[in-house]
Amino acid sequence: MSYYLAIVNSRDTPLYEAALGNPLKDDGKHLHQFVLHASLDVVDDAMWNSQNMYLRVVDKFNDWFVSAYVTAGNVRFVLLHSVKNEDGIRNFFVDAHELYVKTFLNPFHEIDQTISSPTFDIKLRSLAKRHL
């Protein structure tokens, strides 16, 4: 299974992006980024129609689905995936949000700075293996 994750702040600036699992087939990384960033408008619309942080599948492009999770600070976790797995994706988002909060509690990390920590990357990939 293949996944592509983007964590985007409230000003639509990517804070973190990663291909998780097997690489997504067919097209390159740029198409995956384009699909995720194009779906941000749909995520913004969907978050006003739901009281939940986990918004489920909000968009579809060809054979790919886009699932989203929005934090209280309007940071969007957007996941491009080829297989529906609602429970696994929801659990992944909840654990990824907790990891994100722990990263931003670090006094040396500035708000809206990209996440370049190798520890964050390793732990997030571990979460992906566990849940996705």
Side-chain angles (χ1 to χ4, degrees):
M1 289 182 266
S2 52
Y3 302 91
Y4 193 85
L5 173 72
I7 300 174
V8 183
N9 70 7
S10 60
R11 289 182 245 140
D12 295 339
T13 305
L15 300 177
Y16 177 82
E17 295 184 66
L20 305 170
N22 298 330
L24 291 170
K25 60 184 180 207
D26 298 338
D27 301 305
K29 177 181 173 183
H30 299 295
L31 179 61
H32 306 142
Q33 290 173 338
F34 177 76
V35 170
L36 285 180
H37 290 283
S39 68
L40 288 176
D41 291 334
V42 178
V43 172
D44 288 341
D45 290 340
M47 70 185 223
W48 292 109
N49 297 325
S50 175
Q51 295 180 355
N52 297 325
M53 295 174 95
Y54 175 54
L55 302 177
R56 300 180 184 252
V57 174
V58 293
D59 202 3
K60 186 174 188 312
F61 178 79
N62 292 340
D63 294 332
W64 299 330
F65 301 99
V66 178
S67 294
Y69 182 92
V70 181
T71 69
N74 201 24
V75 173
R76 279 88 35 104
F77 289 67
V78 189
L79 183 69
L80 182 68
H81 52 98
S82 55
V83 177
K84 282 190 175 182
N85 177 8
E86 292 290 332
D87 291 333
I89 291 172
R90 181 179 42 78
N91 292 334
F92 169 74
F93 277 143
V94 169
D95 289 348
H97 181 217
E98 182 180 340
L99 181 61
Y100 169 81
V101 169
K102 287 178 182 178
T103 300
F104 275 84
L105 287 175
N106 181 347
F108 298 109
H109 190 85
E110 295 179 23
I111 294 177
D112 290 340
Q113 177 185 2
T114 58
I115 302 170
S116 57
S117 167
T119 305
F120 179 86
D121 187 60
I122 290 168
K123 288 181 179 180
L124 192 79
R125 291 178 188 280
S126 171
L127 291 174
K129 285 180 184 176
R130 185 177 343 142
H131 295 295
L132 304 176

